[in-house]
Amino acid sequence: MKSIEWVDGKVRLIDQTKLPEELVYLEISDHLELCEAIKKLKVRGAPAIGIAGAFGVVLGLNKMNDKIFNINNYINKVIDDLRSTRPTARNLFWALDRMYKKICSLSGESMGKVKKESLKEALDIYMEDEEMSRKIGENGVELLKDECSILTHCNTGFLVTAGIGTALGIVYTAVEKGKKVRVYADETRPLLQGARLTAWELEMKGIDVTLICDNTAAFLMKKGMVDCVIVGADRIASNGDTANKVGTYNLAVLAEKHNIPFYVAAPHSTFDFSLKNGDEIPIEERNPEEVYMGFGKRRAPDNINVFNPAFDVTPNNLITAFVTEEKIFYPPYGNWGGLKNY
Amino acid sequence: MKSIEWVDGKVRLIDQTKLPEELVYLEISDHLELCEAIKKLKVRGAPAIGIAGAFGVVLGLNKMNDKIFNINNYINKVIDDLRSTRPTARNLFWALDRMYKKICSLSGESMGKVKKESLKEALDIYMEDEEMSRKIGENGVELLKDECSILTHCNTGFLVTAGIGTALGIVYTAVEKGKKVRVYADETRPLLQGARLTAWELEMKGIDVTLICDNTAAFLMKKGMVDCVIVGADRIASNGDTANKVGTYNLAVLAEKHNIPFYVAAPHSTFDFSLKNGDEIPIEERNPEEVYMGFGKRRAPDNINVFNPAFDVTPNNLITAFVTEEKIFYPPYGNWGGLKNY
């Protein structure tokens, strides 16, 4: 089962907002429709957003025709449309920059060749992503004991990559290698990616999963029920400060208090070496509705304020290690070895 | 507006499960019906459960008639029914014990007198509770700066006492005295007492309230947006370890990390001097449904485990002070002065 794919000139993706009730595939042939799908979290998760961005550029190119007066302007517009969907996840900008560079390198070539080579680039991004998540899984396994309980937040499995996932990719690999893993899944308010998506993925794969409310993680840790925390990331600054789904920083503080290792799993495309630290990461604020009526029924009075940041930033000193496709990085962070060479 | 009252031989209470959509009053004349109302959280909050328990005993007594063979057994049964509704909040057991002692002290008196004196005892509990919350408010005000932002969890206002509340009672008193208070209300999963009840109370009283998801508190604290945390309590052990709505311990850890004072507001009826520490406090586990379909729609797959403890225990060393009707207690905790004399 693939969360996102290129099929017959279209982007085919699982509508993640419909899970777990319904498994609905969308086929999208217009880049603006894809922008809407990204904004509405039909496709979500940093690596998957990156892949969607790359495919979106190809959709835009495929709509080009002789009536378009200024090709450069058109391509810039397509990329800007995609770029403005969501501000935090680095992978989107990384993929769009890579597509843009590719297209620039084809300057002077025929439109047919530009389209063909751009599709190839997007498919490369896709296949590299699949390979990256496989390697993250392989690299991360050594962090887990043969029997262990993992706490995770949001969703980081096959729904968010072309492969097996980032944080959950480590879980899948560990189980494949015969380790006995129990997962506690934060439900992850407001949009319940943990309850709807992580629990769904793990249950489907036959992995022992227990759903908790986000505010219950501290209780579990105090009782000694959690061996480690593993989360994904949306953007990682040069110094290792990490933006991820809101609530991640909360878990990192709790993990520190209870002497529990706190791991971040992410591919190189999540790293933003242009940023010195986490203060520079833009944090998306989303619609208050997600909080006060995320379930089809208003559950708070009218006229109150709601604060709904989608992400928070965990400072590097709370992160025990980063699991990447290259290797595991331990503190002090800053020299990211092979990752910088991509 | 009273959350719970004795009116014409019945218990009249606001059905808290219907808020904020509807303001529905229930009139209950049967103690078993009241037990159901307590179990289903139609009436909730430690002090209010205590009051409900006391009134419940009176409802039971009022149903007594000549056909009851063994009066002692009957009264014990009524009290046991009420006692078995919820295990954590101390105030329930405190109120039931007080009612039982009163009834025992009337041994040999006419049934009419027993009923009359028991009602008087329950109304005393009610009026003392009102007075206690007033005093907690008065005592707590000195902890707040003239302009401050308070983070709170669950609901601790007039819905949970005969008066103005415990933690929110301090907010109400501060505002009355002209302080400028902004409140951040944790929505408080799974049952959203913060979103549904705290936001409703504060909005009705014209107090600046901002709703957040529970997992967003850490973000606010890191940004310096929270001056102090104030919560209520369900049971406090002799050493100050405090059981309160799940997520409270989480906040206490976060407050410690960010050097933010963490206050607990509670009357003497919440203290359980028979318990050495928090390990001895029984923690209620509630129905998994509250987590996976608390909003009328299933939001997690079938067949997964859910862990749904209703409370957690915050160790005494994370609590900056207790605000009681007697005075503010600071560490080291253990000598509770006047509180022990009730």
Side-chain angles (χ1 to χ4, degrees):
Chain A
M1 189 184 293
K2 288 290 182 187
S3 162
I4 181 166
E5 272 183 298
W6 182 264
V7 179
D8 297 336
K10 292 177 186 167
V11 181
R12 185 169 190 262
L13 52 85
I14 294 177
D15 183 346
Q16 297 192 36
T17 63
K18 294 280 197 291
L19 289 172
E21 293 90 349
E22 294 174 87
L23 181 59
V24 175
Y25 287 89
L26 303 175
E27 296 208 337
I28 296 177
S29 57
D30 182 89
H31 86 277
L32 288 175
E33 198 186 326
L34 188 63
C35 288
E36 277 308 295
I38 296 172
K39 283 182 196 165
K40 293 194 170 145
L41 312 194
K42 292 178 182 193
V43 53
R44 49 150 289 286
I49 296 175
I51 294 165
F55 285 153
V57 174
V58 181
L59 292 181
L61 285 175
N62 287 349
K63 286 269 163 102
M64 277 211 301
N65 56 44
D66 300 343
K67 289 179 192 153
I68 292 171
F69 182 70
N70 186 324
I71 291 180
N72 272 349
N73 279 2
Y74 174 81
I75 289 170
N76 280 324
K77 164 82 168 50
V78 166
I79 290 178
D80 279 352
D81 289 340
L82 290 158
R83 191 182 289 277
S84 63
T85 50
R86 299 194 67 196
T88 303
R90 167 64 178 165
N91 316 59
L92 174 63
F93 310 111
W94 169 87
L96 293 175
D97 289 349
R98 184 163 153 182
M99 292 301 292
Y100 184 71
K101 267 184 216 152
K102 185 73 195 177
I103 293 169
C104 289
S105 77
L106 296 163
S107 162
E109 300 286 352
S110 72
M111 190 42 59
K113 180 151 188 192
V114 171
K115 288 182 182 177
K116 195 176 144 199
E117 291 292 314
S118 298
L119 174 58
K120 187 177 168 301
E121 188 74 2
L123 291 173
D124 281 353
I125 288 175
Y126 181 84
M127 284 179 298
E128 289 166 24
D129 187 82
E130 185 169 9
E131 179 66 6
M132 282 188 302
S133 73
R134 195 186 62 73
K135 285 185 178 164
I136 287 172
E138 291 283 341
N139 290 341
V141 161
E142 71 176 66
L143 298 172
L144 306 187
K145 292 185 294 185
D146 287 346
E147 280 198 29
C148 64
S149 289
I150 295 169
L151 177 67
T152 192
H153 192 64
C154 203
N155 172 259
T156 57
F158 68 80
L159 287 168
V160 305
T161 65
I164 55 173
T166 54
L168 285 192
I170 297 173
V171 170
Y172 292 138
T173 310
V175 169
E176 209 176 88
K177 290 187 186 295
K179 297 199 180 192
K180 208 173 157 189
V181 179
R182 147 175 291 195
V183 178
Y184 289 102
D186 266 3
E187 64 172 358
T188 316
R189 283 283 287 151
L191 295 177
L192 300 175
Q193 291 91 339
R196 297 190 302 104
L197 309 177
T198 295
W200 177 76
E201 281 199 22
L202 292 172
E203 200 267 333
M204 195 161 52
K205 300 247 183 194
I207 292 169
D208 183 359
V209 56
T210 299
L211 178 65
I212 59 167
C213 291
D214 300 333
N215 63 23
T216 307
F219 181 114
L220 294 184
M221 291 188 188
K222 190 162 167 244
K223 295 271 181 196
M225 294 159 78
V226 176
D227 294 310
C228 68
V229 179
I230 316 183
V231 296
D234 287 85
R235 194 184 303 212
I236 302 165
S238 298
N239 72 342
D241 290 353
T242 296
N244 190 44
K245 179 55 59 197
V246 69
T248 301
Y249 170 55
N250 188 354
L251 289 184
V253 171
L254 295 176
E256 180 191 42
K257 171 80 179 174
H258 298 90
N259 294 311
I260 293 168
F262 183 89
Y263 302 120
V264 173
H268 75 272
S269 50
T270 309
F271 286 75
D272 186 347
F273 298 119
S274 77
L275 303 185
K276 255 189 282 186
N277 60 51
D279 293 341
E280 299 175 18
I281 302 176
I283 298 297
E284 177 182 12
E285 265 192 58
R286 293 184 60 86
N287 195 323
E289 260 195 31
E290 292 181 350
V291 176
Y292 69 69
M293 59 187 281
F295 307 92
K297 186 177 176 187
R298 191 171 182 105
R299 298 304 275 174
D302 297 333
N303 306 322
I304 59 161
N305 305 309
V306 175
F307 181 53
N308 183 25
F311 304 95
D312 59 26
V313 175
T314 299
N316 58 8
N317 64 345
L318 297 183
I319 298 167
T320 312
F322 287 88
V323 185
T324 73
E325 72 274 30
E326 191 72 25
K327 64 171 194 168
I328 300 178
F329 290 92
Y330 292 95
Y333 303 119
N335 173 9
W336 298 100
L339 283 191
K340 281 201 168 173
N341 303 329
Y342 282 97
Chain B
M1 188 184 295
K2 288 291 181 186
S3 164
I4 181 166
E5 272 183 297
W6 182 263
V7 180
D8 297 336
K10 292 178 185 166
V11 180
R12 186 168 188 262
L13 52 86
I14 294 177
D15 183 346
Q16 296 191 37
T17 63
K18 294 280 196 290
L19 290 172
E21 294 91 349
E22 294 174 89
L23 181 59
V24 175
Y25 287 89
L26 302 176
E27 296 207 337
I28 295 177
S29 57
D30 182 90
H31 86 277
L32 288 174
E33 199 185 325
L34 188 63
C35 288
E36 277 308 296
I38 296 171
K39 283 181 197 167
K40 294 194 170 146
L41 311 194
K42 293 180 180 190
V43 52
R44 52 149 288 284
I49 296 175
I51 293 165
F55 285 155
V57 174
V58 181
L59 292 181
L61 284 175
N62 286 350
K63 285 271 164 99
M64 276 212 300
N65 56 42
D66 300 342
K67 287 178 196 155
I68 291 170
F69 182 70
N70 185 323
I71 292 179
N72 272 348
N73 279 2
Y74 175 80
I75 291 169
N76 280 323
K77 163 84 169 50
V78 166
I79 290 178
D80 280 352
D81 288 340
L82 291 157
R83 191 182 291 276
S84 62
T85 49
R86 298 194 67 195
T88 303
R90 167 65 178 164
N91 315 58
L92 174 63
F93 309 112
W94 169 87
L96 293 175
D97 288 349
R98 183 163 154 184
M99 292 301 291
Y100 184 72
K101 267 184 215 151
K102 185 71 194 178
I103 293 169
C104 289
S105 78
L106 295 163
S107 160
E109 300 285 352
S110 72
M111 191 41 61
K113 181 153 186 189
V114 172
K115 288 181 182 177
K116 196 176 144 197
E117 292 292 313
S118 298
L119 174 58
K120 187 177 168 300
E121 188 74 2
L123 291 172
D124 281 353
I125 287 174
Y126 181 83
M127 284 180 298
E128 289 165 24
D129 187 83
E130 185 168 9
E131 179 65 6
M132 281 188 302
S133 73
R134 195 187 62 73
K135 285 184 178 164
I136 287 171
E138 291 283 341
N139 289 340
V141 161
E142 71 175 68
L143 298 172
L144 305 188
K145 292 186 294 185
D146 286 346
E147 280 198 30
C148 63
S149 289
I150 295 169
L151 176 66
T152 191
H153 192 65
C154 202
N155 172 260
T156 58
F158 68 80
L159 288 169
V160 305
T161 65
I164 55 174
T166 54
L168 284 191
I170 296 173
V171 171
Y172 292 138
T173 310
V175 170
E176 210 176 86
K177 290 185 185 299
K179 297 199 179 190
K180 209 174 157 189
V181 180
R182 147 174 290 195
V183 178
Y184 289 102
D186 266 2
E187 64 173 358
T188 316
R189 282 283 287 151
L191 294 177
L192 301 174
Q193 290 92 338
R196 296 189 301 106
L197 309 177
T198 295
W200 177 77
E201 281 199 22
L202 292 171
E203 200 268 332
M204 194 162 52
K205 300 248 182 192
I207 293 168
D208 183 356
V209 57
T210 300
L211 179 65
I212 59 166
C213 292
D214 301 333
N215 62 24
T216 307
F219 181 113
L220 295 184
M221 290 187 188
K222 190 161 167 243
K223 295 271 181 197
M225 294 160 77
V226 176
D227 293 310
C228 69
V229 179
I230 316 183
V231 296
D234 287 86
R235 195 185 300 212
I236 301 165
S238 298
N239 71 341
D241 289 353
T242 295
N244 191 46
K245 179 56 57 195
V246 70
T248 301
Y249 170 55
N250 187 355
L251 289 183
V253 171
L254 295 175
E256 180 191 42
K257 171 80 180 174
H258 298 89
N259 293 311
I260 294 169
F262 183 90
Y263 302 121
V264 174
H268 75 274
S269 50
T270 309
F271 286 76
D272 187 347
F273 298 119
S274 77
L275 303 185
K276 256 188 281 184
N277 61 51
D279 294 339
E280 300 176 19
I281 301 176
I283 299 297
E284 177 182 12
E285 265 192 59
R286 293 184 60 87
N287 195 322
E289 260 194 29
E290 292 181 351
V291 176
Y292 68 70
M293 60 188 279
F295 306 92
K297 185 177 175 186
R298 189 171 184 108
R299 299 303 276 173
D302 297 334
N303 307 322
I304 59 159
N305 306 310
V306 175
F307 181 53
N308 183 25
F311 305 94
D312 59 25
V313 175
T314 299
N316 57 10
N317 65 344
L318 297 182
I319 298 168
T320 311
F322 287 89
V323 184
T324 73
E325 72 274 31
E326 191 73 22
K327 64 170 194 170
I328 300 177
F329 290 92
Y330 292 96
Y333 303 120
N335 173 11
W336 299 100
L339 283 192
K340 281 202 168 173
N341 303 329
Y342 282 96

